[in-house]
Amino acid sequence: MPGSRAKGGVGVDGLVAGRTALVTGAGQGIGLAIARLLREHGANVVVTDVDAGLAEAAAGDLGGEEGRVSSIGCDVTDEDSVEAAVAHAVERFGALDVMVNNAGITRDSTLGKMSLGDFEAVVDVHLKGTWLGVRAAARVMREARSGSIINISSLSGKSGNFGQTNYSAAKAGIVGLTKAAAKELGPRGVRVNAVQPGLIRTAMTAAMPSDVFAAREADIPMRRAGEPREVAGAVLFLASDLASYMTGAVLEVGGGRLM
Ligand code: NAP
């Protein structure tokens, strides 16, 4: 199939059987759910997180003993660290077919109270981190003339969220980055897409006051927050040959919020 590596396809072995995937910020939350679903569908998975211990524990949880899961500490804001994680995937499994740029943080406050440090920290992790991940993965995938890169944006980058000028800017930036990279890498057989989750139940949103969380849920047509695995489903789709003619696309996973 053009633009994809015909290693497994849709079959008994899973949608991404035999491929190698790297997920950043996969020690917990959405990244961990993505790593788990890709593994369940047959991928070799490299679990990375800024906290190497958390990544190692998550890899163990995914069944590291089968030899199909590996972990390495990776700070997505650090160029050498990102390059080393990609090199680890290639050394360990011989390829990099799927790259998921998922790591994220929030430092919410209104403009009047937000420090430059809070702005820079969020832009660094999301925007610089995704750019470093796309660039490092693209070097390997261009050579192979095949691959799928998936960047985790947010509906906050579509609508702008009160108290999130830093986060909304970074998440909107990821959309522009995704489309520009899709144009550059499309001719090389590499697809680049983004996913915009809405309100998802993870440690990141657990910090919200319960009344604010409930009010946000009430605003969603499906009347509930999403689960990390529901975001992972969209990522698996984009990683697989089912999405073989999709690049530069942004999939919203928000229960109908912000249509
Ligand atoms: P989470 O549970 O906090 O997981 C994010 C992971 O990324 C954490 O393990 C975090 O480590 C790690 N991380 C932070 N800085 C990093 C760095 N510099 N390098 C590598 N890893 C780093 O958050 P989540 O809710 O699963 O979010 C995952 C992604 O989905 C993020 O990009 C987020 O913006 C996006 N998203 C989430 C929601 C939602 O409602 N939850 C909605 C839309 C989009 P620490 O815990 O040590 O910081």
Side-chain angles (χ1 to χ4, degrees), residues 130-177:
T130 300
W131 184 80
L132 286 171
V134 169
R135 190 182 64 165
R139 283 195 185 121
V140 177
M141 293 176 178
R142 255 196 311 253
E143 286 294 306
R145 299 199 71 81
S146 159
S148 174
I149 300 172
I150 298 125
N151 299 326
I152 306 301
S153 172
S154 165
L155 283 179
S156 178
K158 176 183 178 180
S159 65
N161 268 358
F162 185 93
Q164 290 195 322
T165 49
N166 49 1
Y167 185 80
S168 300
K171 290 305 202 185
I174 287 174
V175 172
L177 159 58

Side-chain angles (χ1 to χ4, degrees), residues 24-32 34 48-51 54 74-78 81 101-107 121 124-126 130 152-156 167 171 174 195-206 208 213 226 228 231 253 257:
T24 68
Q28 58 184 325
I30 292 170
L32 177 56
I34 293 168
T48 76
D49 198 277
V50 66
D51 180 340
L54 197 64
C74 173
D75 177 352
V76 298
T77 66
D78 183 286
S81 182
N101 294 301
N102 163 82
I105 59 168
T106 49
R107 297 281 185 274
D124 260 18
V125 173
H126 292 279
T130 300
I152 306 301
S153 172
S154 165
L155 283 179
S156 178
Y167 185 80
K171 290 305 202 185
I174 287 174
V195 173
Q196 288 189 319
L199 183 66
I200 309 297
R201 237 176 245 288
T202 67
M204 191 178 269
T205 48
M208 285 166 71
F213 193 89
V231 179
V253 184
R257 190 174 146 228

Side-chain angles (χ1 to χ4, degrees), residues 16 31-43 45 62 229-237:
V16 285
L32 177 56
I34 293 168
R36 179 174 283 119
L37 194 60
L38 290 171
R39 177 76 277 278
E40 286 172 10
H41 278 263
V45 179
L62 295 190
R229 197 173 169 87
E230 295 179 290
V231 179
V235 173
L236 171 65
F237 166 67

Side-chain angles (χ1 to χ4, degrees), residues 5 7 18-21 44-46 67-68 70 85-98 140-141 143-144 146:
R5 185 180 293 251
K7 281 182 178 173
R19 300 195 192 163
T20 296
N44 303 314
V45 179
V46 178
R68 305 285 300 275
S70 183
V86 167
H88 173 85
V90 175
E91 275 159 28
R92 179 74 182 70
F93 297 114
L96 179 67
D97 305 294
V98 177
V140 177
M141 293 176 178
E143 286 294 306
S146 159

